[in-house]
């Protein structure tokens, strides 16, 4: 069973970014925590603008600035977000 939506928030972060970025490279799952073991809240589409707060274990904690999940907070794979290097 996947962890609950309240299981991971920004307190799970191990590094901080705090900048606007964009999803690039395809659509990506918007998750309740920083791994595939967490529930997907849906999909964030390619070229969606995001506010990236922080990250952990190859995932970033974001707030989409547009689209179906606008204003929600959750996690996406860092490999799908522009402007992130060596995270």
């Amino acid at each position: 069973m996947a962890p609950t939506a309240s299981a991971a928030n920004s307190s799970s972060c191990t590094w901080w970014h705090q900048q606007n970025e964009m999803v690039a490279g395809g659509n990506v799952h918007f998750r309740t925590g920083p791994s595939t073991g967490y529930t997907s809240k849906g999909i964030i589409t390619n070229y969606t603008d995001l506010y990236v707060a922080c990250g952990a274990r190859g995932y970033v904690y974001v707030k989409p600035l547009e689209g179906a999940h606008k204003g929600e907070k959750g996690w996406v794979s860092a490999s799908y977000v522009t402007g992130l290097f060596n995270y």
Side-chain angles (χ1 to χ4, degrees):
M1 183 167 192
T4 65
S6 62
N9 55 35
S10 62
S11 67
S12 298
C13 292
T14 58
W15 55 266
W16 299 91
H17 189 68
Q18 300 180 351
Q19 291 188 49
N20 290 349
E21 301 295 352
M22 181 175 54
V23 173
N27 299 337
V28 62
H29 282 276
F30 188 48
R31 298 190 176 276
T32 59
S35 79
T36 57
Y38 286 87
T39 303
S40 176
K41 297 164 62 169
I43 300 291
I44 296 180
T45 58
N46 202 15
Y47 304 115
T48 297
D49 290 322
L50 308 167
Y51 174 77
V52 177
C54 58
R57 301 188 312 255
Y59 279 77
V60 289
Y61 188 66
V62 303
K63 180 172 71 172
L65 302 174
E66 59 187 348
H69 298 285
K70 180 180 178 179
E72 295 179 42
K73 295 176 183 173
W75 296 82
V76 298
S77 172
S79 63
Y80 284 85
V81 179
T82 62
L84 302 177
F85 302 100
N86 301 317
Y87 293 115

